Amino acid sequence: MANILVVDDAAFMRMMIKDILTKNGHEVVGEAADGAQAVERYQELQPDLVTMDITMPEVDGIEAIKRIRQIDPNARIIVCSAMGQQAMVIEAIQAGAKDFIVKPFQADRVVEAVQKALR
Ligand SMILES: [Mg+2]
């Protein structure tokens, strides 16, 4: 069981991810709709794990990963994005993401990635 921050600019996507996580015993302690908000919430809430969208207004997910990892080098961040091109996956991993889930995703894939990142 982990305290998780869900970051996505689409409310329905946050809801969907939250639903998957809570059904699997995790607690969604906060949500953010852009990268800047994600950094703020991360500092406030100090979650065990973050799910991070890439394409968001203002500050995107890659930049948010970099900022969060600067604040907390041990931050566990999993990307959930439709931008599944190899170059984007590599950029996210280099920025500090632990895993990259391509939308549309299966609930099992999300649960497995969270489990793995928490180990
Ligand atoms: Mg988005």
Side-chain angles (χ1 to χ4, degrees), residues 1-2 4 6 8 11-28 31 49 51 78 80 101-115:
M1 187 259 183
I4 301 176
V6 174
D8 201 298
F12 78 92
M13 192 53 72
R14 294 199 302 274
M15 214 193 310
M16 200 170 159
I17 295 170
K18 185 175 178 173
D19 191 54
I20 292 169
L21 294 171
T22 51
K23 276 185 180 146
N24 283 276
H26 300 294
E27 188 172 353
V28 174
E31 297 180 26
L49 188 138
T51 72
I78 294 170
C80 294
I101 299 167
V102 182
K103 293 171 183 165
F105 48 73
Q106 301 287 318
D108 290 356
R109 175 73 182 91
V110 178
V111 173
E112 178 202 280
V114 168
Q115 256 30 352

Side-chain angles (χ1 to χ4, degrees), residues 14-118:
R14 294 199 302 274
M15 214 193 310
M16 200 170 159
I17 295 170
K18 185 175 178 173
D19 191 54
I20 292 169
L21 294 171
T22 51
K23 276 185 180 146
N24 283 276
H26 300 294
E27 188 172 353
V28 174
V29 290
E31 297 180 26
D34 64 57
Q37 235 180 54
V39 178
E40 276 174 33
R41 296 270 184 285
Y42 188 88
Q43 286 179 290
E44 278 167 27
L45 303 167
Q46 305 193 316
D48 302 314
L49 188 138
V50 181
T51 72
M52 181 71 74
D53 185 21
I54 297 279
T55 310
M56 295 185 289
E58 311 292 339
V59 179
D60 71 15
I62 297 288
E63 182 59 29
I65 293 169
K66 289 179 184 163
R67 292 187 193 177
I68 290 171
R69 295 273 297 185
Q70 220 158 27
I71 295 161
D72 178 5
N74 298 315
R76 299 183 187 98
I77 305 169
I78 294 170
V79 172
C80 294
S81 172
M83 305 281 287
Q85 301 91 333
Q86 199 183 9
M88 185 57 78
V89 176
I90 291 168
E91 205 183 337
I93 300 296
Q94 279 174 347
K98 294 236 181 283
D99 206 341
F100 197 111
I101 299 167
V102 182
K103 293 171 183 165
F105 48 73
Q106 301 287 318
D108 290 356
R109 175 73 182 91
V110 178
V111 173
E112 178 202 280
V114 168
Q115 256 30 352
K116 224 167 84 185
L118 290 171

